[in-house]
Structure formats: C-alpha cells, structure tokens
Amino acid sequence: MGLREAMLMVAQLMALSARTAPKGLGQDYVGTRVLSGEELSRLADEMERFGRERGKVNFDRDADNVRRSDAVLLISLTENKPLGLNCGACGYSRCEDLQSHEGPEFPGPLCAWRLLDVGIALGSAVKTASLFNADNRIMYRVGTVARQMGLLQGPIVVGIPISATGKNIYFDRPVK
C-alpha cells in the first residue's frame, strides 16, 4: 500500500469516527463524504473562482492546500431539524418557530444542538487523523464551496483536508 492509499484509508476512518460520534437524542443528522484524486482539483478550482468572484480573501490559499492534500473529508448537517428542547439557543423561543433563510454562504439560524453534533463529529474525525499522524485542518472555506458544488447536501458543510508530508502544509500559511 502506498502513501496515498494509506491516506485515503485514514480519511475513511475519519468518516467512520464522524459517523459514530455521539449525537443529540441519538438522532443522526450528520453526513460525510471523502474526496480524492481529480475531485480535489475541481474543488480547488471552484474555491479560487468563488473567492475571486466574491472578493473573499484566502479562498485561493485554502484552494492551494486542497490541491496539495491527499484527501478531504466533508462533514455536513444533513437537515436542520430542531431537537425539540425549546431552549432558545437558535434565537427562537420555540423550536417550531425556527425559520432558516439562505445567507451569503449558508442558511441560518440553525438549531444550536444540531450544530454541536457537527462539531463533535468534526472533533472525532480530527482525533482519528491525529492518531494516524495525518496532518489536517478544519476549513470552513472548503465546506462553503463543496456545498455550493453539491458535493454534500445540507445547510452547513465543513471540510477537513489531510496530508502526509515532512512539514504540515496547513500551518505557517501566508494571509493573502
């Protein structure tokens, strides 16, 4: 097995960790998808285009990271179905009143507890990457464009690129 194949296996194990992470009321509204090969180039190209067309900084920098990665794990909230606690954390007193509307990159507001489920899944995934010494970084810009491209459905998508090189490519990055 070569290094790229090993890293693809690590990405799949990261997806497994996200899938089995604890979730509110035991209800699963977390989705995953592993990208590799030519999909990374397409995603990087779209990230550059998105940043350029919208005048948003660092989409090109993060696109370079994606291009140099071995794989990317996408994690999403598959559906904004409130937990039913009527806690007000989303800004509404009753869960049934929560109405999301599309924002510039993602819809909102979202159920805070469902977002915590995504956060726990992200933490579980990067823990697994760390166990296998795979360099990684959680990146919102990756998820923004992956969602726009339809690579993973849901109101929020986050990306975790992974790499195995002599120096972690996700840190000491210049701000452009």
Side-chain angles (χ1 to χ4, degrees):
M1 175 185 308
L3 191 57
R4 288 212 182 260
E5 292 84 10
M7 291 301 287
L8 186 56
M9 183 180 295
V10 169
Q12 292 165 341
L13 291 169
M14 291 167 62
L16 173 65
S17 292
R19 167 68 45 228
T20 60
K23 297 166 186 81
L25 296 179
Q27 298 172 344
D28 189 4
Y29 290 96
V30 174
T32 63
R33 180 173 176 190
V34 174
L35 306 178
S36 63
E38 186 57 38
E39 289 178 309
L40 298 181
S41 294
R42 284 197 338 265
L43 175 58
D45 290 345
E46 283 299 309
M47 289 174 67
E48 288 176 343
R49 184 193 60 72
F50 183 91
R52 187 174 50 254
E53 289 180 0
R54 298 196 183 196
K56 303 273 260 178
V57 299
N58 294 326
F59 275 81
D60 54 345
R61 179 200 63 193
D62 290 358
D64 180 57
N65 279 153
V66 167
R67 217 177 247 107
R68 296 169 52 203
S69 296
D70 297 306
V72 169
L73 173 62
L74 300 175
I75 298 179
S76 72
L77 175 64
T78 59
E79 181 182 350
N80 184 31
K81 185 172 181 181
L83 211 62
L85 299 176
N86 295 325
C87 69
C90 67
Y92 291 92
S93 298
R94 299 177 321 153
C95 291
E96 61 195 42
D97 295 336
L98 187 136
Q99 298 293 317
S100 292
H101 58 277
E102 193 66 37
E105 295 173 10
F106 298 101
L110 302 173
C111 175
W113 297 103
R114 297 299 183 201
L115 288 174
L116 285 171
D117 289 347
V118 171
I120 292 166
L122 287 163
S124 293
V126 299
K127 173 225 27 159
T128 297
S130 177
L131 289 173
F132 290 100
N133 300 310
D135 293 334
N136 65 89
R137 186 161 186 156
I138 296 172
M139 294 186 180
Y140 110 89
R141 291 176 186 90
V142 171
T144 297
V145 176
R147 179 178 179 266
Q148 183 185 54
M149 292 173 68
L151 296 175
L152 191 60
Q153 301 299 313
I156 191 162
V157 177
V158 181
I160 309 171
I162 62 170
S163 168
T165 60
K167 165 81 174 73
N168 187 330
I169 66 173
Y170 308 117
F171 290 89
D172 302 328
R173 302 174 311 156
V175 175
K176 296 184 179 182

